[in-house]
Amino acid sequence: MADLSEELNGLVRQELCILRIPSNLRGHHYLAYIVERVAVSPMRIKDITKDLYPETSHCFGTDWRAVERSSRTAILACWRNPDGRERLCELAGYQLAERPKTTVFAAIVAAHAMDVYQRRT
């Protein structure tokens, strides 16, 4: 599991950079944590507010509301950048009409990361 975690972490962080979410944003790190967990266990996305936000906040020593807000800000950075938006739509497989909620964003990136990981193994 350690190998999966390390490689998945690298894949997710690389993809967030490709999506134009700079690593100096707190939301970059929060989203990486959330996306990794969703990639390994997709059903966790259903309870993001009750499960993943509190877990992430505990891991980073902050409040769950800060995780939620920072994640939205990071997704907005992606959405406002034409290259980031284009890449996100490419990963989704369709043209997104509006900025996705954190759950949709995490599901899209997690599915892509797991697909890349599985092709490598």
Side-chain angles (χ1 to χ4, degrees):
M1 183 69 176
D3 291 337
L4 166 69
S5 180
E6 288 178 29
E7 187 168 352
L8 190 57
N9 180 283
L11 288 170
V12 169
R13 290 185 183 280
Q14 179 183 15
E15 192 58 50
L16 292 179
C17 289
I18 294 169
L19 287 164
R20 302 300 194 255
I21 299 175
S23 61
N24 66 328
L25 289 180
R26 276 181 249 146
H28 175 100
H29 304 286
Y30 300 158
L31 281 173
Y33 185 89
I34 290 167
V35 168
E36 286 175 48
R37 269 108 197 113
V38 171
V40 172
S41 181
M43 293 304 290
R44 292 193 69 191
I45 199 70
K46 288 177 29 178
D47 294 321
I48 194 166
T49 305
K50 292 181 180 182
D51 180 22
L52 287 170
Y53 287 158
E55 179 183 323
T56 305
S57 68
H58 184 272
C59 178
F60 287 92
T62 190
D63 186 75
W64 71 268
R65 289 175 287 271
V67 171
E68 180 183 30
R69 183 177 56 253
S70 295
S71 297
R72 281 195 320 262
T73 300
I75 294 167
L76 185 59
C78 167
W79 191 251
R80 286 183 172 164
N81 184 299
D83 293 334
R85 183 186 296 198
E86 182 180 331
R87 175 65 175 170
L88 184 60
C89 292
E90 180 183 311
L91 295 181
Y94 59 93
Q95 192 65 35
L96 297 164
E98 58 186 19
R99 176 178 52 94
K101 305 282 188 212
T102 306
T103 54
V104 173
F105 181 91
I108 290 168
V109 178
H112 172 71
M114 276 310 275
D115 184 50
V116 170
Y117 175 78
Q118 289 172 343
R119 279 187 278 146
R120 287 185 179 180
T121 57

